[in-house]
Amino acid sequence: MSLRLEPRTGATLGLKLAVSILAALAALLLVALPVLLAGGSPLASYGLIVQGAFGSLFALSETLTRATPLILTGLGAAIAFRARLWNIGLEGQLYIGALAAVLVGSGIFQLPPLLLIPLVMLAGFLAGGCTMVVPAILKQRFGADEVVITLLLNFVVILLVQMLVEGPLKDPLSMGWPQSVPIDPAAEFPALFPRLRTHMGLLVGIAAALALWFVVRKTVLGFEIRAVGENKAAARFAGIPVDGTMLKVALISGGLAGLAGVGEVAGVKGYLSADLSPGYGYSGIVVAMLAGLSPIGTVFAAIFVAAVFVGADSMSRATGISNYLADLVVALSLLCVLVGGFFLRFRIHWERSAPASAGE
Amino acid sequence: MEIIDILLSPNFWAAAIRIATPLIFGVLGALLCERAGVLNLGIEGIFVAGAMAGWFAVYLGLGLWTGVLVAAAVGGMFGLLHAVLTVILGLSQHVSGIGITLLATSLSYFTYRTALPSVSTPPRITAFQPLAIPGLSDLPFIGPALFQQTPMTMLSLVCVGLVALVLYRTPLGLAIRAVGDNPAAVEAQGLSVRGLRIGAVVAGSALMGLGGAFLTMSAFDAFFFGMVNGRGWICIALVVFASWQPGKALLGALLFGAFDAFQIRLQAQIGQVVPGQVFLMLPYLLSIAALVLVARRADYPRALLQPWFKGQRH
């Protein structure tokens, strides 16, 4: 008996959706084992996670607040991965965006919110975008691998931020904490609901998802991105400006991560510090994969991942089970969705006869 | 001149070799995977898992060398998972590697927290002690620098020789190199492309596990959160720098170790003027510069990142 794979042409949206949901369920099933080993009850833990993530208006707001940067970094990863530009540097781009927000938004310009907020967002977008454009150019000019370079840049950027918030940007009123001067109140993102942390960044994220969906599906750039992602050589042969498209993708991808950083400074913390992000850049990669690189799906995948983190924190407080469980769920979801991707690409046939001949 | 003093001190070179040791294991491991055509970005997580597993085994009362074996086995297991995803299922090596890193890291942290729920200071073990090799360790300069290291450093040097020997002097090595360059030719010879790739990824990942174990069982005597701190990613950069050759991998790791040891000493002297982060940034910037400089003539294994299915033709 042998196994034969047959490429599947064009998986339907329903199938994609089913695979993503099944993958998340499989991850939760796998996590039951470590929960049992830790002496907890899986079902009760999951119940507590769901309750902690959605159980009250406050919980829901925390989940959406946490989902906001994940939507943006997830979109950044999705657009880059579509063009097969492996941007692993979203974490650093997020910090550069946050840095730009503080530089532009903490007192140089005295502007009303209506002008200052867009200015801060533009600065963050461009700063994050340029941080990705440089590796993209290095790739084009020198053939330098963007995976490793963007990855290493994360460390450089975080050290740079550490240096600045302990030095020139340090808030003299911070009682010695390494954090930057606060952002101008006029640059702060308005809250969406009174007394809750969910802020305007959520709307920015959703708008970005809609815009990206439109770009990918309905515009020439979207067609070029898909063509470059599917086959670079063929795209070049067809006269598509491959290099230019890649640079645009790099700018958008890094820019979205930069916007995530702006949101954390202007919407949540109010200042920059080296612990601004608990790994939103890396989780963004998982979010994008969970969403099957679909912009709209990214919004839902981000809410799922955020719910796991927020819910696991609350579950951990109640049961004493380590909240690293959340990272485990997220890691396993990524691997399960990868395996799911295999079933999307291939139909599997079991054959009783001799293996299929090579020349088919 | 103080810089000359630093370079002439055996202590400095001993530190350089010590810092290089985990990188030697890591670069060798990454090199073995990539020679067979599989990029393994799981390395950062496998380092954490090796560090945690080796330390934990000893903490539970097993011997030091058993701990080393456990670390290698755990590394190999994550390698096997990566191989199943990338070699058998043909999934994206980049994404699978990131997934392995996330999984290995979170599983290690989760296990640590679960096993030691209420511990604030990390428990210590009796780690490997420096081993003075009779005769050689008394040599001037070279003795204290090279022959008073812990056994794991010696093991890393032995592994360099071993990997070089296997890759260049055995039919198995020839097959591994071929499978990363031209899998079709390997299949035509009746060898198993998948078997070779899986074996290389598992063996390479076991080496990565050893690199992690060195941190908790030799360099330090406890496990900390965030102790691997990017060392795995540096190995991925060093492989390109080393053009996928074990000898150059050793050289690259030693250069890196020397640079790192040097910056620590330099920082002690001019730390008041220049912020410490500048020194910490330098290794990463140096790696990026090295990558850009060698990229043009980098001789990537030609089938790197390309999945292979039986009976496939180009």
Side-chain angles (χ1 to χ4, degrees):
Chain A
M1 197 150 115
S2 77
L3 181 149
R4 192 165 60 88
L5 300 173
E6 186 179 284
R8 201 194 277 275
T9 43
T12 61
L13 186 67
L15 192 62
K16 278 187 184 170
L17 201 66
V19 164
S20 285
I21 292 171
L22 277 178
L25 287 179
L28 287 175
L29 206 66
L30 285 172
V31 164
L33 191 67
V35 172
L36 283 172
L37 290 178
S41 140
L43 270 182
S45 304
Y46 296 158
L48 285 169
I49 289 179
V50 173
Q51 208 188 348
F54 301 109
S56 66
L57 203 60
F58 174 77
L60 184 66
S61 159
E62 286 303 295
T63 301
L64 290 177
T65 309
R66 187 124 191 189
T68 300
L70 289 176
I71 294 173
L72 289 163
T73 54
L75 289 172
I79 185 88
F81 286 14
R82 257 175 197 272
R84 302 218 175 201
L85 180 69
W86 299 101
N87 179 6
I88 317 291
L90 297 151
E91 184 80 356
Q93 290 142 25
L94 179 149
Y95 272 100
I96 285 284
L99 178 61
V102 167
L103 289 178
V104 175
S106 62
I108 314 178
F109 302 102
Q110 297 297 333
L111 293 170
L114 219 55
L115 292 174
L116 192 54
I117 290 176
L119 184 70
V120 163
M121 283 173 55
L122 183 70
F125 184 90
L126 288 178
C130 291
T131 312
M132 186 56 214
V133 165
V134 172
I137 291 176
L138 290 177
K139 180 189 167 88
Q140 279 169 16
R141 287 279 168 83
F142 302 101
D145 184 29
E146 83 275 22
V147 177
V148 189
I149 290 184
T150 54
L151 200 64
L152 294 174
L153 274 177
N154 288 338
F155 294 94
V156 177
V157 169
I158 291 173
L159 285 164
L160 176 75
V161 166
Q162 233 174 53
M163 190 172 97
L164 291 176
V165 298
E166 283 175 15
L169 280 181
K170 185 170 178 174
D171 183 2
L173 302 176
S174 71
M175 320 261 277
W177 292 104
Q179 62 186 49
S180 77
V181 288
I183 195 162
D184 190 323
E188 277 173 18
F189 283 8
L192 293 187
F193 308 102
R195 289 188 302 283
L196 290 174
R197 293 209 302 169
T198 313
H199 56 88
M200 193 192 81
L202 180 64
L203 303 183
V204 174
I206 293 171
L210 292 171
L212 219 53
W213 171 81
F214 183 78
V215 167
V216 169
R217 283 286 144 218
K218 309 281 178 198
T219 65
V220 177
L221 177 62
F223 168 75
E224 289 173 348
I225 291 171
R226 278 181 284 147
V228 170
E230 270 151 36
N231 189 333
K232 214 182 252 181
R236 189 166 277 133
F237 183 69
I240 288 172
V242 173
D243 287 357
T245 306
M246 284 305 229
L247 291 184
K248 283 179 205 160
V249 168
L251 181 71
I252 298 173
S253 171
L256 289 165
L259 272 184
V262 174
E264 288 313 283
V265 165
V268 183
K269 287 251 178 139
Y271 56 84
L272 172 66
S273 61
D275 60 356
L276 185 74
S277 157
Y280 289 132
Y282 303 103
S283 309
I285 295 169
V286 183
V287 165
M289 293 308 295
L290 274 174
L293 307 187
S294 130
I296 307 296
T298 299
V299 176
F300 295 98
I303 293 174
F304 168 75
V305 170
V308 169
F309 276 112
V310 171
D313 275 345
S314 125
M315 183 268 316
S316 174
R317 281 192 297 274
T319 62
I321 294 175
S322 161
N323 59 356
Y324 280 107
L325 194 70
D327 296 87
L328 251 175
V329 175
V330 168
L332 285 168
S333 302
L334 174 62
L335 293 174
C336 289
V337 91
L338 255 186
V339 175
F342 173 77
F343 293 108
L344 281 181
R345 289 212 333 251
F346 296 101
R347 276 175 217 282
I348 296 173
H349 294 274
W350 292 93
E351 291 179 344
R352 290 197 177 280
S353 55
S357 67
E360 279 189 300
Chain B
M1 189 69 201
E2 278 155 347
I3 290 176
I4 306 282
D5 284 345
I6 292 176
L7 290 179
L8 285 179
S9 126
N11 265 339
F12 164 73
W13 288 102
I17 293 170
R18 195 162 55 237
I19 295 169
T21 303
L23 301 177
I24 296 172
F25 282 120
V27 185
L28 280 181
L31 179 152
L32 208 54
C33 298
E34 291 185 27
R35 268 298 169 110
V38 181
L39 175 72
N40 189 352
L41 293 183
I43 182 167
E44 180 79 6
I46 294 176
F47 260 60
V48 179
M52 163 66 198
W55 169 85
F56 198 48
V58 177
Y59 176 73
L60 290 179
L62 296 174
L64 280 171
W65 287 108
T66 318
V68 170
L69 280 180
V70 168
V74 166
M77 247 171 44
F78 282 110
L80 185 63
L81 180 59
H82 186 57
V84 167
L85 294 173
T86 58
V87 177
I88 296 187
L89 301 184
L91 301 168
S92 158
Q93 296 180 3
H94 290 121
V95 183
S96 168
I98 299 280
I100 299 282
T101 283
L102 290 177
L103 177 69
T105 308
S106 52
L107 204 57
S108 306
Y109 287 178
F110 182 80
T111 310
Y112 181 82
R113 270 282 168 77
T114 304
L116 306 155
S118 51
V119 170
S120 51
T121 46
R124 293 165 177 276
I125 55 168
T126 312
F128 281 112
Q129 299 303 312
L131 192 73
I133 296 177
L136 291 174
S137 58
D138 296 332
L139 290 173
F141 194 76
I142 295 182
L146 187 56
F147 293 107
Q148 289 184 15
Q149 300 279 354
T150 66
M152 283 198 81
T153 297
M154 303 296 164
L155 179 66
S156 76
L157 298 176
V158 171
C159 284
V160 174
L162 219 62
V163 170
L165 194 76
V166 169
L167 272 183
Y168 296 113
R169 293 277 183 272
T170 65
L172 175 67
L174 184 67
I176 291 174
R177 285 184 288 142
V179 92
D181 260 339
N182 188 354
V186 173
E187 195 190 48
Q189 287 183 329
L191 295 167
S192 162
V193 173
R194 287 178 166 186
L196 283 163
R197 284 191 168 173
I198 293 170
V201 173
V202 170
S205 305
L207 283 170
M208 296 170 185
L210 292 181
F214 172 83
L215 294 177
T216 47
M217 300 173 61
S218 218
F220 307 101
D221 53 7
F223 178 77
F224 312 100
F225 290 90
M227 77 186 303
V228 170
N229 195 20
R231 282 188 179 83
W233 307 131
I234 297 283
C235 292
I236 295 288
L238 278 176
V239 180
V240 184
F241 177 77
S243 349
W244 294 269
Q245 292 168 23
K248 286 189 183 170
L250 174 64
L251 186 73
L254 286 175
L255 269 177
F256 201 92
F259 180 81
D260 212 21
F262 186 69
Q263 64 91 0
I264 294 167
R265 282 156 178 77
L266 200 65
Q267 201 178 342
Q269 294 181 7
I270 59 169
Q272 306 295 47
V273 195
V274 185
Q277 285 91 357
V278 172
F279 294 100
L280 295 174
M281 257 183 234
L282 282 174
Y284 299 109
L285 290 173
L286 209 69
S287 295
I288 293 172
L291 276 178
V292 174
L293 287 176
V294 302
R296 250 193 220 290
R297 46 193 183 80
D299 196 11
Y300 282 86
R302 268 166 293 172
L304 187 66
L305 298 177
Q306 287 169 12
W308 171 261
F309 293 107
K310 207 173 165 66
Q312 177 180 316
R313 280 186 182 174
H314 281 291

